[in-house]
Amino acid sequence: MRSSRLFAPTLREVPSDVEMTSHALLLRAGFIRQMGAGVYEFLPLGWRVLNKVSDIIRDEMDKSGAQELLLSAIQPEELWAESGREGPMSDVLIGFQDRRGTKYYLGPTHEEIITDLVRKNVRSYRDLPLNLYQIQMKYRDEPRPRGGLVRCREFLMKDAYSFDRDEAALDTVYNRMYEAYVNVFKRCGMDITAVDASGGAIGGKETKEFMLLTDAGEDSVLMCPKCGYAANQEIADFRLVDASTGDEKKQMARVDTPGAHTVDEVCGFLKAKPNQLIKTLILMADDKPVAALVRGDRDLNEGRFRVLLGASKLEMATPEQIAACTGGPIGFSGPVGLKVPLYADEETLGMVNFIVGANEGDAHLVDVNWCDVAGKVTSARLRFAVSGDLCEKCDEPFEEKRGMEMGHIFKLKYAISEPLNAVYTDEDGSEKLIIMGCYGIGVSRIVAGVAEVSNDDNGLIWPVSIAPYQVQLICANVTDETQLALAERVYETLVQAGVEVLYDDRNDRAGVKFKDADLIGTPIQVVVGKLAAEGKAEIRTRVDKTAEPVAEADILANVQARVGG
RNA sequence: CGGGGUGUAGCGCAGUUUGGUUAGCGCGCGUGUUUUGGGAACACGAGGUCGCCGGUUCGAAUCCGGCCACCCCGACCA
């Protein structure tokens, strides 16, 4: 491809509303353009990278025994109603009606569609196992798209779904997918950490997320430096340390705390530390109020709490709902005399003489002890693990890192097949539910991820495997006939040999072309310049700018060696 | 959905506080000349419904009201 013909508008300056490195570089280098919030167009360079990633995924998926197909992006609403996920996922569903008034959603994921396909076409155990995948745009009305390709409303995903007879067969395919994923990310040049994760709205415990560790990531990952345990903060387990001081219990007292409704304000007012306070969070679990009690400096893990309650919906109560069940305004709730079910984080049980809200405006209770709290208190782990908490297996303090989720595999089991009644006839003639797994990779997010971690001040740095072109050939001065003639010959030679080469034949100053080449990030650069008079070109890499003079006859072999390595 | 911010040429910005000639600057773009190894110089030139709608006014990029879009933080996030 000749740069003079390539549609790759590069920018010198970063558009003002861009913050994330990968976003800025992909825009500047002419890989993507924005259509709207979380909606991007892939320009030729971006599209090439996306396809390189897709091809690697295809190769690994096919090797693992999965079969590619293409499902409909338009999904009938009734399937979502049937699976019971229309409600839980209503926030992100983008819907429309056809001319007859039938409702549809643009596919945010394809469990319903594929399970419907399979239940209509699979009858017998002889038809199993099946592992089907596709690479297709997904549509989710994300509450907050961000970071360019990191979180989009329209994004490219590889999604695979396995269908098996029993758990043992599911385990087999799950493990095979794990291996395939490891291979995919390795081939894309990414250093990925697999972590224990939460099944999210679907549920399920056996699930792994494939995280790219980067400060730009949206997730928190807790890692044990000793045993290698790694988990998403949402589900990370840790050892409870008994922090009870053995202080003598004092007499509870009511104090005025005008205007102090946040933990910081109360602490400032009472000259206390956040860990001496227990905050009482009122939540609505399937529309019934419950109270969660956690130490003032901790955060409630709502996902864990929801699972504990067995609730399908859990959300923070509104000020009105809080007033209705506590009798006080938001910010002054407390467990003493509270008439809603109380759930206390296990860490709070060892506390004495703590501070809580008084369930009335502008007042708190101090020197409270658990004996003051009438009523049943359920103790459970309700808070997130944080940096410094101890690994449950080896008592080593966790390190906390940011991660960007690139892939997710998990065992759906019967979560979808049961409501959709996807069954098969087993050997003994009995009808059984198909057991399922699902496996996703954010293809477009991989592009963002690699761009995020692989760059320098001059631009992107692509690994050979997914670079838009393997080689960038630069003719330093196209008005120099010797240079131009040599560059043209080198271009022909490389193209004929099947090397993917972007040939900068523009009539610009050399500096412009060097800058663009670095920005685009092609891993190998071949410069035809002053040495053309001697019949030589310079070959260098994007990372190591040490130029190696190479005679014309040896250029192809040199390039091929670099591409291969 | 809550909080904060921004909308003026393809990109980056000034001008808005205090309304007043023909709305500026840099980059980029076009033509020409000179240049040609790390984003060249000079000359000439093109390019704008000042986010949209309404209002106030003799007069609105500027003041007022409403709306929209985008970004960031939070909530949310198979």
Side-chain angles (χ1 to χ4, degrees):
Chain A
M1 184 71 204
R2 290 173 185 264
S3 294
S4 57
R5 305 308 321 150
L6 179 68
F7 182 53
T10 55
L11 303 172
R12 278 201 196 185
E13 294 180 273
V14 183
S16 61
D17 51 7
V18 168
E19 305 250 323
M20 203 172 283
T21 305
S22 59
H23 187 195
L25 288 174
L26 290 168
L27 276 173
R28 282 191 57 212
F31 284 60
I32 58 171
R33 282 295 182 269
Q34 183 171 28
M35 258 304 294
V39 182
Y40 286 85
E41 295 159 319
F42 286 85
L43 275 44
L45 290 175
W47 179 234
R48 285 182 69 92
V49 175
L50 203 58
N51 280 318
K52 292 275 187 87
V53 175
S54 296
D55 287 345
I56 289 173
I57 294 171
R58 277 198 184 90
D59 187 54
E60 291 297 333
M61 294 303 292
D62 291 347
K63 276 189 205 162
S64 79
Q67 303 173 62
E68 185 173 12
L69 45 58
L70 183 61
L71 301 164
S72 55
I74 292 176
Q75 310 188 352
E77 181 265 350
E78 57 185 20
L79 267 179
W80 284 86
E82 193 178 349
S83 75
R85 294 206 300 173
E86 190 175 19
M89 290 189 69
S90 60
D91 273 3
V92 299
L93 291 169
I94 300 173
F96 67 95
Q97 295 189 3
D98 69 9
R99 66 182 70 231
R100 278 183 270 184
T102 307
K103 292 181 184 170
Y104 296 91
Y105 292 119
L106 291 176
T109 177
H110 280 72
E111 282 86 5
E112 280 76 5
I113 289 287
I114 190 116
T115 306
D116 180 59
L117 179 71
V118 166
R119 72 177 171 179
K120 286 172 175 166
N121 295 282
V122 165
R123 299 271 87 93
S124 156
Y125 72 95
R126 295 175 199 275
D127 301 325
L128 300 175
L130 275 177
N131 189 7
L132 305 169
Y133 77 97
Q134 63 169 348
I135 295 174
Q136 189 193 45
M137 283 297 180
K138 295 286 184 273
Y139 298 88
R140 298 182 188 178
D141 194 3
E142 291 286 349
R144 190 150 99 76
R146 77 180 103 188
L149 296 184
V150 170
R151 181 174 284 298
C152 288
R153 296 194 294 172
E154 178 184 62
F155 62 99
L156 192 64
M157 181 182 230
K158 187 284 303 180
D159 46 325
Y161 307 89
S162 66
F163 301 85
D164 285 281
R165 292 173 70 180
D166 51 38
E167 294 220 16
L170 173 59
D171 290 346
T172 302
V173 65
Y174 179 88
N175 291 333
R176 212 155 49 210
M177 284 294 100
Y178 185 100
E179 291 305 320
Y181 274 41
V182 168
N183 294 340
V184 164
F185 295 121
K186 190 189 269 179
R187 287 176 65 181
C188 290
M190 308 177 87
D191 188 8
I192 291 288
T193 304
V195 307
D196 292 348
S198 145
I202 286 185
K205 282 184 180 169
E206 290 174 82
T207 162
K208 287 276 187 187
E209 285 174 343
F210 293 79
M211 291 285 190
L212 176 68
L213 298 182
T214 160
D215 289 339
E218 300 176 288
D219 292 288
S220 275
V221 175
L222 291 160
M223 306 175 72
C224 172
K226 193 171 170 191
C227 73
Y229 172 80
N232 192 307
Q233 186 181 44
E234 294 169 344
I235 62 118
D237 280 318
F238 54 96
R239 183 173 306 288
L240 178 66
V241 176
D242 185 5
S244 52
T245 56
D247 286 356
E248 197 174 322
K249 289 177 186 170
K250 299 182 189 168
Q251 181 64 41
M252 177 172 82
R254 180 189 174 288
V255 293
D256 287 329
T257 51
H261 23 60
T262 69
V263 169
D264 283 345
E265 286 165 355
V266 173
C267 289
F269 197 87
L270 299 176
K271 299 197 171 19
K273 290 181 183 156
N275 63 10
Q276 296 171 268
L277 188 142
I278 292 178
K279 55 184 174 185
T280 303
L281 304 166
I282 308 297
L283 297 96
M284 303 303 286
D286 293 331
D287 300 322
K288 281 179 230 157
V290 293
L293 308 172
V294 295
R295 216 169 76 182
D297 57 337
R298 305 297 194 188
D299 289 318
L300 173 68
N301 184 337
E302 283 188 50
R304 196 184 274 274
F305 191 35
R306 185 175 64 80
V307 170
L308 173 76
L309 295 169
S312 59
K313 198 173 75 176
L314 181 71
E315 52 194 6
M316 298 299 290
T318 62
E320 293 74 31
Q321 290 167 330
I322 291 171
C325 65
T326 71
I330 189 168
F332 297 93
S333 303
V336 179
L338 196 58
K339 295 285 194 306
V340 305
L342 301 176
Y343 293 86
D345 180 54
E346 56 195 2
E347 184 179 48
T348 62
L349 295 185
M351 292 170 67
V352 295
N353 305 327
F354 47 83
I355 303 165
V356 298
N359 293 321
E360 58 176 292
D362 300 333
H364 280 76
L365 302 176
V366 298
D367 293 330
V368 179
N369 289 286
W370 285 107
C371 54
D372 301 318
V373 179
K376 180 166 168 276
V377 176
T378 308
S379 162
R381 179 161 302 173
L382 298 180
R383 73 166 174 93
F384 284 113
V386 295
S387 178
D389 278 331
L390 301 184
C391 174
E392 214 167 35
K393 292 173 183 159
C394 50
D395 281 350
E396 194 76 9
F398 281 136
E399 291 175 12
E400 188 173 342
K401 295 186 176 172
R402 302 295 288 175
M404 196 183 284
E405 182 187 349
M406 292 292 144
H408 197 166
I409 60 175
F410 77 92
K411 299 178 182 176
L412 281 171
K413 298 196 175 171
Y414 306 104
I416 305 291
S417 55
E418 187 171 0
L420 291 188
N421 194 36
V423 298
Y424 69 98
T425 305
D426 211 344
E427 269 180 290
D428 59 6
S430 68
E431 195 172 78
K432 288 180 179 167
L433 282 173
I434 301 175
I435 191 165
M436 293 174 58
C438 72
Y439 319 91
I441 292 180
V443 184
S444 45
R445 190 179 276 181
I446 284 181
V447 177
V450 173
E452 189 64 38
V453 300
S454 186
N455 62 71
D456 63 16
D457 290 345
N458 292 317
L460 295 160
I461 303 175
W462 295 104
V464 173
S465 59
I466 63 171
Y469 290 90
Q470 297 166 332
V471 175
Q472 190 134 352
L473 171 64
I474 295 168
C475 182
N477 183 355
V478 296
T479 63
D480 180 316
E481 288 179 17
T482 309
Q483 289 186 25
L484 184 62
L486 177 57
E488 292 284 339
R489 288 201 301 276
V490 171
Y491 180 52
E492 270 312 302
T493 303
L494 292 174
V495 168
Q496 288 300 319
V499 177
E500 296 171 11
V501 47
L502 179 59
Y503 169 30
D504 201 335
D505 60 338
R506 294 175 299 173
N507 185 13
D508 265 309
R509 297 167 71 86
V512 173
K513 300 185 221 187
F514 293 145
K515 287 288 186 190
D516 267 357
D518 285 352
L519 182 58
I520 288 169
T522 302
I524 298 159
Q525 299 177 349
V526 177
V527 181
V528 174
K530 287 171 179 167
L531 296 181
E534 307 166 27
K536 289 180 181 171
E538 293 152 64
I539 303 182
R540 62 193 190 188
T541 65
R542 170 66 179 78
V543 181
D544 176 12
K545 287 296 173 53
T546 309
E548 179 187 358
V550 178
E552 181 177 354
D554 301 325
I555 290 173
L556 177 60
N558 189 300
V559 166
Q560 283 176 324
R562 289 169 186 259
V563 170

